[in-house]
Amino acid sequence: MLSDESAHTPMFNRSISETSMDNSSMEDFWCELKNIKENSENGSDDSLLMDVKPVDDGELEAEWLQEAGLSTLISGTQEHDGQALLSTLTRTQAAAVQKRYNSYTQTMRKKNKHSVRDVRDIFGINESTPTFEAIPVSPLATNGVQIPMKKPIWKAVTSNSCTLEKINPAVAEELSFEISFSETIITDDKEKQMNQRIKKDDCILPKFIVWKSRFGLTEVEDLSLEDMKKIRYLSLIELTAFYDALGIELKRNRVLRIKGRENGLFGVPLATLLENDQKKVPGTKVPLIFQRLLQQLEETGLETEGILRVPGSASRVKSLREELELKFYDNTFDWKKVRSNDAAGLLKMFIRELPTALFTMEYLPAFTTLVEKISKIKLQLQALHLLIMLLPDANRDTAKALLHFLKKVVSNEEKNKMTLWNVSMILAPNLFIYKGKSANKEEMKAAASTAHIVRLLIRYQDILWTVPAFLISQVRKMNEAALNNNKKQLIFDKSVRKLLRRKTMERERPERREHCDVPEGVIRVYAPLHSKVSMAIQLNSRTKAKDILARFQCENSRGTSDKCLNQSLYEIGGNIGEHCLDPDTYMLDVYHVNPHAEWILKPKNS
């Protein structure tokens, strides 16, 4: 929330943004800032304030290593997860880790801290062995041979009426999901850094067409929580390597003080709010009040002219908020009296008063760098994609719900007069302005620049929720390496070895018979909710996941319930935790990558 002092400083002067935005397109932004200031004057909660400060060099590198899942480099212990993660890194990712680790060790020595061992000592690497081994990230068969495949690309088709600088409308842009983004940076991408002028015309944004590989596409909710945790580790390393390859410093902030309410609706941390809501509605991923506000706006406001832009009465919004706090969970609140503009005001207030920003305070500088240092839309989108992968689950799910709603607002532009640029200018200050005493001129300038980021988030949201295939391949390798490390550890444990020998003798014959029952290229699919609970299916190069679903539906056509019809095929175990397969996935390709998986039909996780 903005203080009165900050509201009258030069940060509100229109000239600040002239180097990065077309001046004529800033009106919505300034009006929204004025509305935010008026709402803040009606009373602010000091418990929601936070102090955000840069991190010292040594602390910054140590925290980076911890957040990247590499705390083993700091502690010196031989943690298997850290070793497994290091074994999956590409060349540029390994260089990024080495750079941070070297900086950390040098800083610790200067500060006369505890002695820091060489990374080669930690992992027992020989002199002749590179510190970090860079390996390809394409899917591998169990014998280690790369599987040939056609690389999926995004084809970008630009509008004939409007082109983006440095983009040739006659040439299609391509971006591979199979190859690490940082590995594809070329010399021409390392541009001379300068302030970029962003045009408000939405037609400058290229239209990307996503081509599926034989492995299909995977969205964030298709993976297990444990594998998504590894995706976050790898995304941070990849984002850092990506910025390094562009010659850009990846900055982050440290939030020193975060306070929020433990109960209620507004000003409550997302994780706390969801924990409270899940007691009422198990499985809830988006706060109930946030869902209800979006529902209210969809039912009454999508066609309202100036929705989101035209503010409701500040006093009425404040009164409605107080009443919601008292009556929402009792289901006694009368939603019929809430006007669409009031609902929009409550929605934006909810976002602003989150104790930690929806897109996180820590990496806000990385978001703003997209505009200030990178001019090519393709590179901006790649960096934004990795930042979305970094978000905590609660933040990402809530952001997804918000962006899905904003897309509907823009699709009704003819009636509500809200273009993509208008909506982006309104939401930017609500999403990216700091609360508390640390708001300053530079941060306000950055907040104005992030209008373009909001535009990218809305336009390309379907792409941003897709997990890059190269990250999934790295997770598979990480899981395989962890399994191998665990096996090696068990071998040296005599008591466990004896137990295993006895169990092996007891189960050796049945296991061999079971293995013989499933020949090469045949999978057994389990369907607990069907009358026929399992089926052996011979795979060929044309078999897709949807073919297996259709086979079960055909075999169980009589008395099939709706729950059985709305099922997905899951790959479980082996080198993945749990993976909901795209219906267009070619099963033989997945089988070759993960032959020890189990295959189960069940309803998709909501």
Side-chain angles (χ1 to χ4, degrees):
M1 193 171 294
L2 301 174
S3 64
D4 292 342
E5 180 181 359
S6 63
H8 295 287
T9 60
M11 71 179 74
F12 284 84
N13 191 299
R14 297 167 190 255
S15 63
I16 290 174
S17 61
E18 289 180 355
T19 58
S20 59
M21 300 281 185
D22 288 338
N23 193 37
S24 61
S25 67
M26 294 296 296
E27 293 301 324
D28 286 340
F29 180 77
W30 305 120
C31 290
E32 185 64 16
L33 283 178
K34 180 180 178 182
N35 294 333
I36 293 174
K37 176 180 177 295
E38 289 177 352
N39 283 326
S40 69
E41 288 175 345
N42 288 329
S44 62
D45 187 351
D46 290 338
S47 67
L48 299 180
L49 298 180
M50 65 179 69
D51 293 328
V52 182
K53 294 183 179 180
V55 188
D56 293 339
D57 288 341
E59 295 174 329
L60 184 148
E61 308 300 357
E63 291 186 5
W64 186 92
L65 289 168
Q66 291 174 342
E67 290 188 17
L70 295 171
S71 58
T72 183
L73 296 180
I74 300 173
S75 64
T77 58
Q78 294 188 0
E79 297 175 9
H80 295 314
D81 287 347
Q83 295 181 59
L85 178 54
L86 287 171
S87 71
T88 72
L89 301 183
T90 66
R91 176 182 56 83
T92 53
Q93 291 172 353
V97 173
Q98 186 72 70
K99 180 179 178 181
R100 271 75 198 170
Y101 180 72
N102 288 344
S103 176
Y104 165 73
T105 56
Q106 290 170 9
T107 303
M108 291 299 100
R109 289 189 180 106
K110 288 179 181 179
K111 290 183 176 181
N112 297 318
K113 299 288 185 181
H114 59 83
S115 60
V116 182
R117 292 184 293 168
D118 189 279
V119 68
R120 291 172 296 181
D121 297 329
I122 296 174
F123 294 103
I125 301 174
N126 298 325
E127 290 292 334
S128 60
T129 307
T131 305
F132 296 101
E133 183 181 358
I135 64 173
V137 294
S138 298
L140 300 179
T142 52
N143 59 6
V145 179
Q146 268 192 325
I147 299 171
M149 67 178 66
K150 182 178 179 181
K151 295 177 181 177
I153 60 173
W154 297 348
K155 267 195 174 179
V157 183
T158 53
S159 171
N160 294 328
S161 61
C162 184
T163 60
L164 181 67
E165 186 179 0
K166 298 186 179 181
I167 290 183
N168 185 345
V171 179
E173 292 280 324
E174 294 183 357
L175 181 63
S176 173
F177 258 17
E178 300 297 314
I179 303 173
S180 162
F181 297 157
S182 60
E183 292 286 333
T184 62
I185 299 296
I186 58 177
T187 305
D188 292 344
D189 291 327
K190 299 177 182 180
E191 310 166 19
K192 181 180 179 182
Q193 305 307 331
M194 61 185 71
N195 290 322
Q196 307 294 338
R197 289 187 64 85
I198 298 172
K199 298 180 180 180
K200 69 177 181 178
D201 303 295
D202 295 329
C203 59
I204 69 170
L205 300 179
K207 296 179 180 179
F208 290 101
I209 300 174
V210 182
W211 283 10
K212 292 183 179 181
S213 75
R214 291 179 65 85
F215 290 88
L217 298 176
T218 300
E219 295 189 357
V220 290
E221 61 266 23
D222 293 337
L223 294 175
S224 66
L225 294 178
E226 187 61 29
D227 283 340
M228 276 307 302
K229 182 179 179 181
K230 296 167 186 173
I231 290 289
R232 278 192 284 274
Y233 290 156
L234 290 161
S235 295
L236 176 55
I237 296 173
E238 171 64 12
L239 179 67
T240 307
F242 185 81
Y243 274 52
D244 284 352
L246 289 172
I248 300 171
E249 182 183 1
L250 177 61
K251 296 181 179 180
R252 57 161 289 172
N253 294 314
R254 171 188 283 178
V255 180
L256 297 180
R257 183 166 64 96
I258 304 175
K259 289 186 178 180
R261 303 165 59 197
E262 296 182 359
N263 297 292
L265 303 175
F266 294 80
V268 180
L270 276 178
T272 303
L273 191 55
L274 279 174
E275 184 180 351
N276 296 337
D277 286 352
Q278 287 166 358
K279 294 175 182 177
K280 299 174 176 62
V281 183
T284 298
K285 293 185 177 181
V286 178
L288 297 176
I289 180 60
F290 197 76
Q291 292 184 48
R292 189 61 184 85
L293 288 171
L294 292 177
Q295 179 185 342
Q296 183 72 11
L297 283 165
E298 289 186 18
E299 292 175 353
T300 65
L302 285 181
E303 297 182 359
T304 301
E305 184 170 340
I307 188 62
L308 297 176
R309 179 174 56 197
V310 179
S313 165
S315 59
R316 189 168 61 247
V317 169
K318 180 183 177 183
S319 175
L320 288 170
R321 167 189 168 156
E322 292 172 351
E323 190 174 351
L324 275 168
E325 293 279 10
L326 295 173
K327 299 180 179 180
F328 176 71
Y329 285 121
D330 295 335
N331 294 321
T332 57
F333 182 80
D334 183 10
W335 286 95
K336 293 181 181 180
K337 66 182 180 182
V338 180
R339 304 172 187 175
S340 57
N341 291 335
D342 294 335
L346 288 166
L347 180 74
K348 291 185 288 185
M349 180 181 289
F350 177 90
I351 294 170
R352 286 196 309 273
E353 294 194 4
L354 287 172
T356 56
L358 188 59
F359 291 104
T360 72
M361 289 297 183
E362 287 81 355
Y363 289 98
L364 182 60
F367 278 96
T368 58
T369 300
L370 290 176
V371 178
E372 298 169 357
K373 302 295 184 180
I374 304 174
S375 64
K376 292 184 178 180
I377 296 292
K378 180 179 72 173
L379 298 179
Q380 291 177 353
L381 185 57
Q382 287 175 321
L384 191 58
H385 200 163
L386 295 169
L387 283 165
I388 292 298
M389 292 295 107
L390 272 175
L391 292 178
D393 296 330
N395 296 60
R396 188 181 58 243
D397 292 335
T398 304
K400 184 176 182 179
L402 173 65
L403 294 173
H404 183 66
F405 163 71
L406 296 179
K407 186 177 182 179
K408 291 182 180 180
V409 173
V410 175
S411 66
N412 284 272
E413 174 188 343
E414 290 186 3
K415 295 182 179 179
N416 60 35
K417 310 303 180 185
M418 294 295 291
T419 66
L420 175 59
W421 182 250
N422 293 145
V423 173
S424 301
M425 293 300 294
I426 295 298
L427 266 294
N430 289 281
L431 287 168
F432 291 102
I433 289 182
Y434 285 149
K435 295 187 289 288
K437 302 175 182 178
S438 62
N440 57 39
K441 178 178 178 179
E442 288 303 315
E443 288 157 2
M444 290 298 297
K445 177 182 176 180
S449 300
T450 52
H452 177 60
I453 296 176
V454 177
R455 176 164 62 170
L456 295 179
L457 287 167
I458 298 172
R459 173 60 63 88
Y460 300 121
Q461 57 182 280
D462 293 337
I463 293 173
L464 296 174
W465 308 126
T466 304
V467 183
F470 71 87
L471 292 178
I472 298 176
S473 295
Q474 288 184 277
V475 168
R476 290 185 185 276
K477 293 181 177 68
M478 189 174 173
N479 290 336
E480 288 175 354
L483 286 173
N484 291 334
N485 287 333
N486 289 336
K487 288 178 182 179
K488 291 178 182 178
Q489 183 181 7
L490 289 175
I491 290 175
F492 291 101
D493 189 324
K494 293 183 179 180
S495 61
V496 174
R497 187 165 54 185
K498 290 180 180 179
L499 177 62
L500 286 176
R501 187 184 299 119
R502 186 170 65 252
K503 292 296 183 183
T504 300
M505 293 175 63
E506 294 172 356
R507 300 179 181 178
E508 186 173 4
R509 291 181 181 178
E511 284 182 359
R512 287 180 178 177
R513 287 200 300 271
E514 182 180 351
H515 180 73
C516 293
D517 288 342
V518 185
E520 180 72 17
V522 175
I523 62 173
R524 180 163 293 280
V525 181
Y526 296 90
L529 297 180
H530 287 263
S531 56
K532 187 171 185 178
V533 296
S534 72
M535 190 184 302
I537 296 178
Q538 175 70 56
L539 302 178
N540 59 46
S541 60
R542 299 182 301 276
T543 307
K544 294 184 178 182
K546 63 183 178 183
D547 297 329
I548 295 176
L549 290 168
R551 177 87 173 269
F552 268 89
Q553 290 172 4
C554 180
E555 292 283 343
N556 297 273
S557 57
R558 293 184 179 181
T560 301
S561 64
D562 292 338
K563 185 176 289 187
C564 291
L565 292 174
N566 298 321
Q567 288 190 327
S568 297
L569 179 59
Y570 280 78
E571 167 199 8
I572 299 177
N575 58 30
I576 203 77
E578 182 173 292
H579 181 199
C580 180
L581 297 175
D582 187 317
D584 291 325
T585 298
Y586 285 88
M587 293 302 301
L588 193 59
D589 295 68
V590 182
Y591 169 78
H592 283 153
V593 171
N594 193 9
H596 301 296
E598 293 185 350
W599 314 93
I600 298 178
L601 262 61
K602 63 176 185 174
K604 187 170 182 179
N605 297 327
S606 59

